[in-house]
Amino acid sequence: MTPDKNLESDGFEEKENCKVTDKHPFLSYFRLLLSSKLVYIPLIITAISLVISFVSVISSSFAEFYSRTAGSFIRMVLAKITGILPFSLAETLLAGFVLFLLWCMFRSVQTLIARTDTCEFEDRANKVFICVFLCAFSLYNFSFAPSNHRTPLDKNLGLERNPVSAEQLYDCMIKVSDELKICLDMGDIRRTPDGLSCMPYSYDELNDVLNEAYRNSYDKYPFLSRFDSVAKRIMLSPLMTYTHISGIYVPFTGEININTNYPDSVIVFSQAHEMAHQRGISREDEANFIAFLVLFESDDYYLRYCALSELYDYLSNALYSADEKLFYEAFYAADKRIFYEILGFNDFFTPYQNSAASAVMDTVNDVSIKLRGDSNGVNSYNMMVELAVSYFEKLN
C-alpha cells in the first residue's frame, strides 16, 4: 500500500512541476506564470504605464503635458545612458534575442530527442519572454506612447493645415526650387561622379552639427524636448537598405539608428527625422516636417540643401499625381542642378527597389503606424506637403 501512495505522491509532484492542473491547463499555467515573483513587479509597472497611456488617448492636453515633461525626461535619460555605448544597443539586443530563440529551439529539440522533462526549461524561458515583453512595453508607454496623442503639430506651429490644390503645390515647388538654387550658388555643395552630394563633415561631426541645429530651434519651438543625443550607425546597413529603412528611433532603448549605406543627403535628413521622434514628435509627417524646419532654418547651406531636396521630392511626387501639366511646368522652370541628386539617388536605389524585404517591412511599418493612432499608415510620410505649403504661404 505504501508504494502506491509514494507513486501517487510522485505523480502529483510531477504534475506540479509541469504546471498541469485542472480542466484548463493553459489558463492554469498562464496564471502560475504571472504569479511568479519574477513577473510580479513588471506586471505592476506595466499596469501603471497602461493608465498613463489610456489617459493620453482620452485627453490630448494630458498627452501634450506628459510628453513635454515626464516623457521628455525619460527619453532624455534613455538617450544619455545608451549614448555612452559606442555601438547600437538595440541592434545588439535584437541579435541577442535571435540567438536566444535559436538556443530555445535547440534545447527543445534536444530534450525531445532525449525524452527528458522540458517543463522546467519551458517555464524559465517563458518567464524570461514575459518579463522582457512587459519591460519593453512599459518603457514604450512611459516614454513615447503619449506622444501619439499630443496636440497636432500644425496647432503648435500656428499653421492652417488643409488639403492642398495642384496650384498650391506648384507655387510651393517653385519657391523650394528657388531656395535650392540659392543653396547651390552660395553653399559648397560637393558631388560624387554619380551626381550625389557629399557631406562636408564626418558622421561624428554631423552629430554635433544636427544637435546645434536643434538647439537653435528650441526657443522657437518649445514643444520639442531639449537635449543632445548621439546617433548610432547600423552595422548591417547594406543589408538593411533592402528593407528601404534609412533610420529608426527605438523608444525601448532611446536610440537613433541610422543606415549609413544611403547617400549623404538622405542620411542627414533621416537623422534629423529620427531626432524629431526622439524629441517627442510621433507622427511620421510631423517628424518629417520638423526635420525640414530644423535643417532649413539653420545657417548651414548643406543642411538647408538636404531639407529642400527632400521636400522637393515629396512636392514633385504630389504635384505629378495631382496635375501632370503643372508638374512639367515646374520641372522645366527649375535649375537643372537640382536633378543631379534625384538622378544619382535613382541609380543608387535601383538594386534595392523591388526587394521582398521591403514589401514585408512596408506592411509592418504600415501596421505599426496605424496602431500608434495614425489611420493613414505609411501614406502619412507624404502628408508633410500640407504642412510645407502652409509654412511657405505664411513665410511669404
Side-chain angles (χ1 to χ4, degrees), residues 193-212:
D194 53 9
L196 294 167
S197 61
C198 302
M199 285 191 297
Y201 15 72
S202 67
Y203 290 119
D204 291 336
E205 290 170 337
L206 175 62
N207 257 318
D208 296 334
V209 169
L210 289 178
N211 278 317
E212 178 65 25

Side-chain angles (χ1 to χ4, degrees), residues 352-371:
Y352 307 100
Q353 191 162 8
N354 297 315
S355 68
S358 68
V360 173
M361 287 309 302
D362 281 347
T363 301
V364 171
N365 197 23
D366 186 67
V367 172
S368 173
I369 293 171
K370 288 177 178 177
L371 287 175

Side-chain angles (χ1 to χ4, degrees), residues 63 74 158 165 184 258 279 304 320 334 383:
I74 295 171
S165 65
L184 291 166
I258 299 299
R279 281 146 188 77
R304 291 170 63 87
Y320 183 82
M383 295 175 66

